[in-house]
Amino acid sequence: MSASPDSGLSAPPQTTPRRLLAELRGPGVVPRPMDARALAALAANPGCKRRALLDGAGVDKSVLAARLGSPAPFGQSQFAIVRGNSFEAKVKADGGRELLRLIGVEDTGEVSVPDLAAAGPEGRVARTALALREATAAGTWALLDHPLLALEVAGSPVYLEPDAVVVHPDGGWTVVEIKSFPMIDGSADAAKVGAAARQAAVYVLALERVAARTEGARVAQSVLLVCPKDFSNVPAASVVDVRKQRSVTRRQLARLTRVDEIARALPEGISFDVVERSAEELTAAVECVPHQYAPECLAACELAFHCRSRSRDAGAVETLGRSVRGELGGLTTVGAVLAAARGEEGDPDDPAVAALRRARALREEALAGVAACR
């Protein structure tokens, strides 16, 4: 029986998005909080509904991957963590003298370093916002060491802690990202710089929320990346434009606010409860959510090995990389690619099919030449 406005029957209450995601995670499972690295990884693969849903629901993907039989050796080594902490301490020593020098401030006596200590994350977020407003109103240099910012993601607050934020006398706010990978001859590894830029873009978005309520404040759309120079421990800096990464991340965060739409499309009874559900049930649940695997996922997602295995079993061309996938057009499986190259399938007028057949012909011609030389 359906309810109508005149029937006197009330419609059944709709499950709120937060409650729906909690049910998917499991009633007895504590949600895993997101951080800047997780949000940056989402921006790196915005089309993956599987990661969006699991991260939005707070599912611990490391535990889930282990239950699925595909644990990922994920995370930084202890050596890298210690080296990174040591380099950051050097950059910020003596009131941030080295860091301020890289920005162009020679007299550190003109720079205030406010105390950001407060009780709990909410208190630290409020204290950070107050320090930013006071420094902007004063029109002086200020260095905020490990400020705490907040973003709302899928209805829940996510707390973010950049390495530093510099307030300029003109009201500009600049995010500082300190990394321990080297900057050789003025440039660093492109993949590592890209990952750092995506992470910094998350901080920029969070800062913009505070700037919107601060008169005279503006957040720089470029960040200061500080790395060791060449093979030394001397800090060097590079300005990295993060406008593109910021736009992608903002779209992905907006998409996460609608993650309940992905959840409502799942079959009834699906759960990612890593405590109560069996490995078979968890596997079935994960396979209900579409994914977009790419080799880059191996460095950013705990479920990458599971998704790669499934993609290989299906013969998906995504396992060869996004660029290969883009070149092959409508050929979505390795089997279809090989059949098109042999002339068994595919439209001869399709440029991808024509290129495959030409490549196969050249390969056979080369092999024939080698055989004739023997």
Side-chain angles (χ1 to χ4, degrees):
M1 181 181 296
S2 61
S4 66
D6 300 324
S7 65
L9 299 175
S10 60
Q14 292 290 322
T15 304
T16 63
R18 184 176 296 185
R19 182 177 177 182
L20 178 61
L21 295 176
E23 290 174 352
L24 285 174
R25 182 177 63 250
V29 179
V30 178
R32 179 176 181 177
M34 296 184 70
D35 56 17
R37 286 181 180 272
L39 293 176
L42 280 169
N45 192 3
C48 185
K49 293 184 178 180
R50 181 174 294 174
R51 170 145 199 172
L53 178 63
L54 294 174
D55 279 347
V59 176
D60 190 329
K61 297 195 300 299
S62 294
V63 176
L64 179 59
R67 293 293 308 279
L68 296 176
S70 302
F74 204 71
Q76 288 182 297
S77 68
Q78 191 63 35
F79 173 78
I81 293 174
V82 170
R83 184 173 185 274
N85 291 339
S86 174
F87 179 68
E88 181 177 339
K90 175 179 174 60
V91 173
K92 294 180 178 178
D94 298 325
R97 183 181 299 274
E98 284 286 345
L99 174 56
L100 294 169
R101 178 186 61 80
L102 294 172
I103 295 174
V105 181
E106 297 297 338
D107 186 1
T108 58
E110 301 177 354
V111 182
S112 64
V113 184
D115 181 8
L116 303 179
E122 295 87 354
R124 287 187 59 199
V125 168
R127 182 68 188 90
T128 295
L130 179 61
L132 287 167
R133 294 188 184 104
E134 289 177 344
T136 303
T140 58
W141 288 99
L143 173 63
L144 277 67
D145 184 9
H146 282 289
L148 195 66
L149 308 170
L151 268 180
E152 185 173 300
V153 179
S156 300
V158 175
Y159 298 107
L160 310 166
E161 190 173 355
D163 293 325
V165 171
V166 174
V167 178
H168 301 251
D170 62 358
W173 298 353
T174 300
V175 171
V176 178
E177 189 70 5
I178 302 173
K179 296 296 185 182
S180 60
F181 54 80
M183 190 177 295
I184 301 174
D185 293 333
S187 61
D189 181 87
K192 294 180 178 179
V193 172
R198 288 190 294 271
Q199 185 175 339
V202 177
Y203 301 138
V204 169
L205 285 172
L207 264 183
E208 287 177 342
R209 294 186 62 193
V210 185
R213 300 188 296 271
T214 305
E215 184 178 355
R218 55 179 179 80
V219 181
Q221 300 299 296
S222 57
V223 303
L224 189 71
L225 177 63
V226 181
C227 301
K229 182 179 180 181
D230 298 327
F231 299 101
S232 70
N233 207 33
V234 177
S238 176
V239 176
V240 180
D241 190 328
V242 297
R243 285 177 294 181
K244 179 180 178 181
Q245 292 84 352
R246 172 189 169 278
S247 297
V248 172
T249 304
R250 185 176 59 178
R251 289 196 299 270
Q252 181 67 351
L253 292 181
R255 181 171 172 266
L256 273 179
T257 62
R258 300 189 299 273
V259 74
D260 59 302
E261 297 176 6
I262 304 174
R264 295 184 193 281
L266 298 177
E268 188 175 351
I270 289 296
S271 173
F272 303 100
D273 190 337
V274 295
V275 176
E276 298 294 335
R277 296 302 176 105
S278 66
E280 292 75 16
E281 290 174 316
L282 290 172
T283 300
V286 168
E287 294 308 311
C288 286
V289 189
H291 69 97
Q292 284 195 358
Y293 170 79
E296 295 84 351
C297 297
L298 294 172
C301 182
E302 297 89 334
L303 282 177
F305 286 87
H306 174 82
C307 297
R308 182 181 67 175
S309 175
R310 292 297 188 271
S311 294
R312 284 177 172 176
D313 292 343
V317 296
E318 284 82 359
T319 58
L320 305 176
R322 291 195 180 102
S323 59
V324 175
R325 174 68 187 89
E327 291 290 338
L328 292 175
L331 302 172
T332 59
T333 66
V334 174
V337 170
L338 296 176
R342 292 192 296 265
E344 298 169 358
E345 296 181 11
D347 183 358
D349 295 329
D350 186 333
V353 174
L356 287 169
R357 293 179 181 177
R358 176 60 178 161
R360 183 171 185 268
L362 290 174
R363 176 179 180 273
E364 290 179 346
E365 180 179 334
L367 292 176
V370 170
C373 292
R374 292 176 180 176

